[in-house]
Each structure stands twice: as structure tokens, then as C-alpha cells.
Amino acid sequence: MLAGLGVAGCLVVLSAALTEWAALRFTRANLEIEVLHAELDRLHHAQLALLTQHGAAPPDAQVSERLAALAGQRAQRDERLHALAAATRGELQRLQTGLGVFLVSALGLLAAFYWRARQQLRAQFTAARAQRALNESLEQQQRELQRLNQELDSFSYSVSHDLRAPLRAVEGYASMLEEDHGERLDDEGRRYITRIREGAARMGYLIQSLLEFARLGRQPLALAPVDMAALLQEVRSEVAAAHRGVDVDWQVDELPMVDADRQLLRQVWSNLLDNAVKYSSRTPQPRIEVSARREGAETVFCVADNGAGFDPRYQDKLFKPFQRLHSEAQFKGTGLGLALVQRVVSRHGGRVWAESSPGQGARFQFSLPVRP
Amino acid sequence: MSSLLPLPMGYEILDILVVDDNPTDAELTLRALRKAGLGQHLRWAESGTEALDLLRAAGAPGAAPHSLPRLILLDLKMPGMDGLEVLQSIKSLTALQRIPVVMLTTSSEPADIDRAYALGANSFLVKPVELRQLEAQVVQAGAYWMLANRPPH
């Protein structure tokens, strides 16, 4: 915009100077023409005076000579006058044309500048308006998210507090009944109590898992370099301790360092290894292989077992909360483990997938982006 | 205020004060403590206000000796004055601030845990659903704070 104004100012000054210069030139040409006119008049008068002086009498040779000289001079001056007038006219025309061209191009230039400035301004304005609209919608989304988060907070609060309290009453009083009055019941009565207590305990466990699962989505990621080999070793001993009596032949490859949230990754390994041990516990010689490989901008980790496997038809159900491919009686579980794995991995920007067929073992793989 | 054991006239011996609005939870907790033989003198306050009234009276100059509890088990979510407010009051009163306060609650929300510790809670326990686990937890906490821990003089 400022550039446009500058150019316009320059053009105005320039055209004013040009006009001034042209006016000066024409004034000079006009002066010269006037001088010539005056001279021609003078010559004319001189001729007339000579003729009048000598009357109609035939002029003597001297007078004739002077007259002829005067006429010659006059013709010369006349010719010059014509030439000068023609040149001035030509120059005037050229000047007019030049000035016209100059003015037209100057105007064109100005118009172009104006147009560009206008376009730029309009673009800026549109961009600003779009930005404002975007900001507003982002703010709105953020408010909505905050509101949802608060709702979720109070929801999990009430789940953890209000749902577990009555459950504790059920479990607690059933336990007290068993302890204090158990001998007055027969075996069937005591079996009922055991069932009540098991049910309550399992529901408590489910609520706890659900809470942890919900919390996973909200908690910010604490990214730091994680030694996967060390983490896997930790988790492996925990999982082995939880499944005492299952003699697994472990084969663990070298695992690289990754940038991730260690606590959350621990949950991923814990669930994958626990599943691998759990579902291969009925195989005569359980074998679990853990490996890692680089694939483009990702590191892919793989846990393969030779256990029960799963039907690939239900593969898409595998990672959904509370979806189980095996009955509780076959293999215990909450149905949240793999949903949790998927949530953690996708929050890290990775993917998780699995392949298997019944009786053929399962391969669970997840990828984590390699951060530069 | 409910006294579960009759006290001799003129004595107000108190070992553990259980503050919980839920009678079931309170009964389970008190039963666990009694079963473990921890604290002959247990009290249950069913609201924050009741607990604070009891504590202020017991901590007032001229109150009977040993009338302040040696341990407080405090629930978090209670109608009216909640556990955090009770905790704040306890920790701001000179006569009471040295009594160990163990939060015993159903909430495992990290925000609650952080707030409780910021206000001076001595530990934070999440009540398990199963009675056996609750018993083990309450007894461990009671044994630690009543027997193992050496309070400042």
C-alpha cells in the first residue's frame, strides 16, 4: 500500500515537471516565432517604405537591388518561420502523444498497484476472518472438551465411589455371614455365599479396570527415552510371577530405545505378555517370542505365542472394550486389556494389529513412530 | 457419635477415630480393627462436623488425658463437610496436627490423592471391595501408625 502511494506521488511530481518543461520549450518557440513575425513585419514595412518613397516610378537599380534583398530576406525569414512552426507543431504532437502514453501507462501502473494492494488487503482480510472463525470454533471445541472432561471426571468419580460402596457392602456382609454364621449353613448355602463374593469381587475388578481405562485417555503423555529391553525384563518377571506353574520358553530379541510414556508402555507390555502367557498356558510347551524391527519411520514390536490363538473373523472385535473372544470360564479377563493396549499405542501415534488362527498361536504387533 | 465400647466414667480414652458417612464401610472398618485387636477404644463419627467437634473438645485445655485419638481414619467424600476440609482443619490446629491422619476412601483419583497429601495427609489408602483385603489394609495401617511409627514429642 505504501509502495503504491509512493509510486503515485512520484508520478504526479514527474508529470508536473514534464508539463513545466514542455511549457518552457513552447514559450521559447513562441517567443522565437514572435521575433520572426516582428522581423517579417519590419521587412514588409521597409519594402513598403521603399516602394512608397519611390512611387510608381521605375525603381533605380539600387532600389531594386535593396527591394530584392529585402524580399529575399523576407522569404528566408518566412521560410524559417514556417519551418519553425512546423517543427513546433510536430514537437507538440510528439509531446502530446508521449505525455498521453506516459499518463496512460502511469494510470495503468497506478491501477495495477491499486488492484494488487486491494487484492492483498482483501486476502489478508479474508485470512484474518477465517483465522478468527477458526479460533472461535477451536475455542468452542476446547470449551466443549473441557466440559466433557469434567463430566467424565465426575462420572468416574461417581463410578469409583458410589458404585463401589454398595459393592463393598455386598461383599463385606457376605464375608461376615460366611465367617460368623458359616457353620450354621449347609454346603449349598456356603457355595451361594462364595458365588456372591466372587461376583462382587469381579465387579470391583471390572470397575477398577474401567476407571484405569478412562483415565488413560485423559492423562497427558510423559514422553522420555525408554529402555524397552529393561522394561520388558521387568514386566516379564511380574507376568511370570502371576502365572507360576506355566513354564514358558521365552525368546526375547534385542529391543531398541524408544521415546514414550514409560508407565503407559508398561501397561502395553504387561497386557500383551499376560495374554500370551494366559492363552498359551494350556499348550504343552508354551513358547513366546518378543522381537522388534525397524520399518520406515516406525519401530514395530511383536509378541508371538503358540497358544490358543483366535478366530480371525472376529479380529476387529479384539481391540474393543469389553469384547472377548473366549469365555470367562476358558480364560479369565476383563475384556479391557487389548482396548487399553490400543488406546496407549494410538496415543503415541502408533498402530496395533494381530494375526492368528485357532490353535495356531497369535502374533500381536504394535508400532511406535521413531522420533527424530 | 456412637461409642461402640462402654467407657468407664470420667475416662475418655480413644485410640482410633473412624470418620465415615457410610455406616456399612464404618462397620467393616471397625470390625477389621477389633478383629486384629488394634485399639480397645474405637469411635465412629459419621460426619466431618461431628469428628471436628469431638476432636476440638478432646484437644481443648483441661480435657481428660488420652482423650485425643492416636490415629484418624478419614473418608474423603462425605455430605456437608468433606474429608479434605476436615483434614485441613485438623492440620491447622496446633492441638491436633500431630495426630496421624490416614485417608481411607473409595476414590483413587490422582487429583484427590495429590490434594490430600498437599493438605498434610499422612497416608492415602483406597478401600478395596473385598472384605479380606480391606481388613488386611486397615490392620496394616493401624499397626504401622499405632505401633511401629514413633510420633514427634
Side-chain angles (χ1 to χ4, degrees):
Chain A
M1 194 58 215
L2 270 178
L5 274 178
V7 168
C10 281
L11 281 178
V12 167
V13 169
L14 211 67
S15 70
L18 214 66
T19 318
E20 193 65 21
W21 171 78
L24 210 70
R25 276 197 69 170
F26 285 112
T27 315
R28 263 167 54 196
N30 274 339
L31 268 176
E32 212 173 326
I33 287 170
E34 257 170 53
V35 168
L36 281 172
H37 269 298
E39 220 169 316
L40 277 177
D41 274 352
R42 194 180 53 77
L43 287 172
H44 190 68
H45 280 298
Q47 233 177 344
L48 267 178
L50 267 177
L51 282 174
T52 327
Q53 213 177 350
H54 298 281
D60 57 14
Q62 208 186 352
V63 172
S64 305
E65 208 175 296
R66 270 200 69 194
L67 267 175
L70 275 176
Q73 262 183 6
R74 224 189 114 172
Q76 221 182 331
R77 293 283 195 278
D78 215 17
E79 209 174 304
R80 252 199 86 193
L81 184 69
H82 280 297
L84 195 63
T88 310
R89 254 199 314 277
E91 202 154 315
L92 187 67
Q93 229 162 19
R94 277 202 304 280
L95 195 70
Q96 269 173 348
T97 321
L99 208 63
V101 167
F102 172 77
L103 275 178
V104 165
S105 43
L107 271 177
L109 212 64
L110 257 181
F113 262 109
Y114 169 75
W115 187 250
R116 237 188 88 192
R118 198 184 129 103
Q119 292 290 88
Q120 272 176 353
L121 269 180
R122 181 176 284 184
Q124 276 173 7
F125 184 70
T126 319
R129 204 164 48 186
Q131 186 65 44
R132 216 168 35 235
L134 192 69
N135 281 348
E136 268 168 27
S137 95
L138 272 180
E139 268 169 35
Q140 204 178 344
Q141 275 178 11
Q142 185 137 17
R143 276 197 300 274
E144 180 70 4
L145 264 180
Q146 271 171 354
R147 194 184 61 76
L148 280 174
N149 252 346
Q150 276 166 3
E151 250 173 46
L152 203 64
D153 272 341
S154 61
F155 173 74
S156 35
Y157 200 102
S158 78
V159 165
S160 73
H161 192 276
D162 301 346
L163 289 190
R164 273 199 291 189
L167 205 56
R168 196 164 33 251
V170 172
E171 211 282 335
Y173 284 96
S175 293
M176 279 152 67
L177 189 64
E178 194 178 39
E179 273 175 34
D180 299 354
H181 308 284
E183 68 275 15
R184 278 197 268 161
L185 293 167
D186 60 7
D187 284 352
E188 192 66 355
R190 279 193 291 275
R191 192 176 69 83
Y192 291 169
I193 292 180
T194 310
R195 286 277 174 275
I196 294 174
R197 287 190 44 223
E198 279 173 2
R202 176 160 169 76
M203 187 164 167
Y205 179 50
L206 281 177
I207 291 176
Q208 187 56 40
S209 312
L210 190 62
L211 268 181
E212 272 166 26
F213 182 67
R215 202 175 290 145
L216 264 187
R218 292 179 284 150
Q219 190 177 306
L221 288 184
L223 292 183
V226 176
D227 181 350
M228 282 296 230
L231 181 61
L232 188 94
Q233 185 53 44
E234 269 177 51
V235 176
R236 212 182 92 183
S237 16
E238 276 177 20
V239 170
H243 295 271
R244 246 182 274 272
V246 186
D247 188 19
V248 177
D249 173 16
W250 290 92
Q251 196 193 320
V252 180
D253 285 4
E254 264 184 46
L255 302 180
M257 299 280 289
V258 292
D259 275 314
D261 187 315
R262 196 173 198 277
Q263 266 321 100
L264 295 182
L265 265 199
R266 172 179 250 285
Q267 307 241 42
V268 170
W269 282 120
S270 173
N271 277 292
L272 290 181
L273 295 191
D274 191 72
N275 276 353
V277 175
K278 187 163 68 182
Y279 291 108
S280 52
S281 58
R282 300 188 186 173
T283 311
Q285 284 169 319
R287 220 173 98 85
I288 297 172
E289 289 170 23
V290 182
S291 59
R293 62 182 190 275
R294 179 79 182 255
E295 266 184 23
E298 291 182 320
T299 310
V300 178
F301 296 90
C302 175
V303 179
D305 64 52
N306 61 347
F310 58 85
D311 191 332
R313 275 181 298 168
Y314 304 120
Q315 200 164 345
D316 53 332
K317 274 187 161 186
L318 213 56
F319 296 101
K320 292 197 175 126
F322 294 118
Q323 300 275 2
R324 301 205 58 212
L325 302 189
H326 298 272
S327 72
E328 177 68 17
Q330 269 181 300
F331 295 103
K332 290 199 178 306
T334 55
L336 276 173
L338 287 177
L340 200 134
V341 167
Q342 188 182 44
R343 194 171 259 208
V344 171
V345 169
S346 73
R347 284 203 62 196
H348 279 86
R351 297 165 298 126
V352 57
W353 65 100
E355 61 229 30
S356 174
S357 47
Q360 299 298 303
R363 284 165 66 86
F364 282 86
Q365 310 201 61
F366 68 95
S367 68
L368 291 176
V370 177
R371 277 164 231 278
Chain B
M1 183 173 68
S2 336
S3 172
L4 290 160
L5 286 175
L7 287 168
M9 288 291 288
Y11 280 90
E12 275 291 328
I13 300 175
L14 185 52
D15 286 333
I16 302 177
L17 173 67
V18 175
V19 190
D20 200 322
D21 65 302
N22 185 328
T24 304
D25 279 4
E27 188 180 345
L28 297 180
T29 307
L30 291 167
R31 180 189 152 102
L33 290 169
R34 271 205 309 273
K35 212 170 125 182
L38 265 174
Q40 293 301 301
H41 309 287
L42 309 171
R43 288 241 160 154
W44 168 41
E46 61 180 317
S47 74
T49 327
E50 190 186 316
L52 270 187
D53 286 349
L54 185 151
L55 288 169
R56 284 213 187 87
H66 308 300
S67 53
L68 275 178
R70 288 159 65 200
L71 174 64
I72 299 171
L73 298 180
L74 181 58
D75 188 20
L76 201 63
K77 196 184 165 199
M78 293 185 289
M81 184 186 263
D82 70 13
L84 291 177
E85 286 174 78
V86 177
L87 176 66
Q88 195 168 23
S89 303
I90 291 173
K91 292 299 177 188
S92 65
L93 292 170
T94 328
L96 306 178
Q97 63 194 181
R98 283 184 177 178
I99 307 171
V101 178
V102 172
M103 304 307 290
L104 184 63
T105 168
T106 13
S107 170
S108 54
E109 285 294 297
D112 284 339
I113 300 175
D114 290 351
R115 273 200 299 258
Y117 278 117
L119 290 174
N122 297 80
S123 30
F124 193 104
L125 301 177
V126 179
K127 289 178 196 166
V129 165
E130 283 159 90
L131 181 68
R132 304 269 149 79
Q133 287 176 22
L134 180 77
E135 281 174 357
Q137 202 173 64
V138 166
V139 167
Q140 273 170 16
Y144 175 77
W145 289 108
M146 303 268 300
L147 306 174
N149 186 52
R150 295 273 159 190
H153 292 285

